[in-house]
Amino acid sequence: MDRVIDVHTHYVPKGWPDLARPDGTGPAVPSLRLESETDALIMLGTREFRRIRSDCWDADVRLADMDADGVRAQVVSPTPVFFSYAHDVRQAARIATIVNDLALEICAPAAGRLVPFCQVPLQDTDAACRELERCLAAGHVGVEIGNHVGDRDLDDEGIATFLQHAASLGAPVFVHPWDMPTSPRLDRWMARWLTGMPAETHLSILAMILGGVFDKVGDDLRICFAHGGGSFAFWVGRMDNAWRARNDIVGTSAYEPSHYLGRFYVDSVVFDERALRLLVDTVGGDRVMVGSDYPYPLGERPAGGLVRGSAFLDDSTRAKILHSNAERFLGTR
């Protein structure tokens, strides 16, 4: 069986300096409360954000899990709570530098198997481009970004310029939803994760299309959207219909939305063979890559299990999804 390349995993450094502003002002920044050698809590100020384990930072633990799952390599990206887009650019750039340098330390014991992706202060185009250049020179392979910066979607002029710069550098981009809206209706049953994340990802792809980014940025942009692209694949027909029926409002791209299906990748972490079939039929077997969301509890274990076990896939398409598409996305083939 072909060994998997997993393009969607996250890390949290075990220790980092105090990231708060010296004067104590500004938004809360993450801190880590270690409870044992293998357990910790990510804190946002005094609020508990997430309980994590050593698989977030310990290369040996990750490698053991990868070997158990038949995973050849993991793309190791920041946990989105570290993005810091609400901070001023100097503070966000400082946080990005620290987190990115610690990521290289996490991946160093397993070069080639743990593939580091950096984060950037996306709220400032120049600072984001500088940090991407610095990180690529230091050993990062690509960059993870959030699907929006406040009310600015991925078609924002500054973000589109950053994406063009990433393309010119040959850096793959992984887009992850984050900072979902909250309300009493969404705070039950993890609804922000179960409905908000798919919707946010759908919106970010739609912004790339209707905002004209794919019309402006060349085919050399390699960009992947997490969680199977959210709900996008299910609603392509609805979007095409709107583009034709209300072109006065929706016709802001050169072509209807389905025209752009070959311009981006998605990961496979949809958990159901019927959903994976729709994704492959819609996006294409050469645009889906294994993603697990390791090591978090809403992820897939074993990584790639759905792809390996889906009877509708032929051997060629299965091999593409397990590793060949990721090799092309990462620029290793």
Side-chain angles (χ1 to χ4, degrees):
M1 179 65 72
D2 292 310
R3 290 172 67 80
V4 170
I5 298 176
D6 183 351
V7 301
H8 181 179
T9 83
H10 298 287
Y11 69 86
V12 175
K14 183 178 182 180
W16 57 82
D18 186 0
L19 301 178
R21 291 172 58 94
D23 60 7
T25 62
V29 296
S31 62
L32 198 68
R33 189 171 81 196
L34 291 170
E35 299 197 325
S36 72
E37 284 298 310
T38 59
D39 294 273
L41 277 169
I42 300 176
M43 306 292 295
L44 275 178
T46 59
R47 178 171 66 89
E48 294 184 3
F49 175 76
R50 178 175 294 168
R51 185 173 296 276
I52 62 173
R53 294 183 57 82
S54 58
D55 45 16
C56 281
W57 64 75
D58 190 321
D60 289 338
V61 174
R62 296 183 80 103
L63 290 169
D65 286 345
M66 290 165 65
D67 289 342
D69 288 3
V71 173
R72 184 206 316 170
Q74 285 182 345
V75 171
V76 183
S77 295
T79 296
V81 71
F82 286 92
F83 286 158
S84 306
Y85 296 158
H87 293 263
D88 65 73
V89 62
R90 180 175 297 184
Q91 175 73 345
R94 172 175 171 264
I95 292 171
T97 297
I98 292 169
V99 171
N100 291 335
D101 290 350
L102 290 172
L104 293 177
E105 294 182 13
I106 292 172
C107 295
R113 295 197 69 189
L114 299 180
V115 180
F117 270 35
C118 64
Q119 69 178 54
V120 295
L122 195 59
Q123 63 267 58
D124 184 280
T125 304
D126 291 341
C129 290
R130 285 195 301 270
E131 180 61 11
L132 178 59
E133 291 173 1
R134 187 191 75 86
C135 287
L136 293 176
H140 287 269
V141 173
V143 59
E144 180 189 50
I145 64 172
N147 68 302
H148 67 103
V149 177
D151 290 329
R152 299 161 56 196
D153 280 310
L154 297 187
D155 62 321
D156 174 83
E157 183 178 355
I159 298 174
T161 298
F162 171 78
L163 293 174
Q164 281 186 306
H165 190 60
S168 73
L169 297 173
V173 180
F174 185 70
V175 181
H176 197 287
W178 83 295
D179 194 32
M180 292 84 68
T182 181
S183 73
R185 294 174 61 233
L186 292 172
D187 288 341
R188 302 188 297 166
W189 317 310
M190 296 190 73
R192 280 190 289 161
W193 281 262
L194 298 179
T195 66
M197 276 195 166
E200 284 287 337
T201 308
H202 178 158
L203 179 58
S204 63
I205 301 174
L206 192 63
M208 291 278 290
I209 293 172
L210 297 184
V213 181
F214 287 126
D215 294 327
K216 301 170 187 174
V217 180
D219 292 345
D220 52 346
L221 174 64
R222 304 196 304 276
I223 189 166
C224 175
F225 294 88
H227 306 129
S231 51
F232 185 87
F234 191 83
W235 291 113
V236 170
R238 181 178 178 84
M239 289 178 284
D240 279 359
N241 179 68
W243 191 90
R244 293 188 295 265
R246 289 306 310 268
N247 195 262
D248 56 321
I249 297 173
V250 182
T252 51
S253 55
Y255 305 96
E256 61 188 11
S258 62
H259 174 85
Y260 301 91
L261 286 170
R263 294 294 305 277
F264 58 88
Y265 296 86
V266 297
D267 71 19
S268 66
V269 63
V270 294
F271 304 101
D272 186 282
E273 184 171 342
R274 294 163 297 183
L276 182 64
R277 181 192 289 270
L278 173 65
L279 199 60
V280 171
D281 286 348
T282 304
V283 178
D286 58 349
R287 290 286 165 172
V288 181
M289 304 181 288
V290 167
S292 70
D293 212 357
Y294 177 97
Y296 294 130
L298 296 186
E300 180 189 53
R301 290 292 308 275
L306 176 62
V307 175
R308 285 174 163 153
S310 290
F312 76 91
L313 292 171
D314 58 42
D315 289 343
S316 174
T317 305
R318 182 177 287 107
K320 288 179 181 180
I321 298 172
L322 289 176
H323 61 84
S324 298
N325 294 340
E327 291 166 352
R328 188 171 69 251
F329 173 69
L330 296 172
T332 58
R333 60 170 297 182

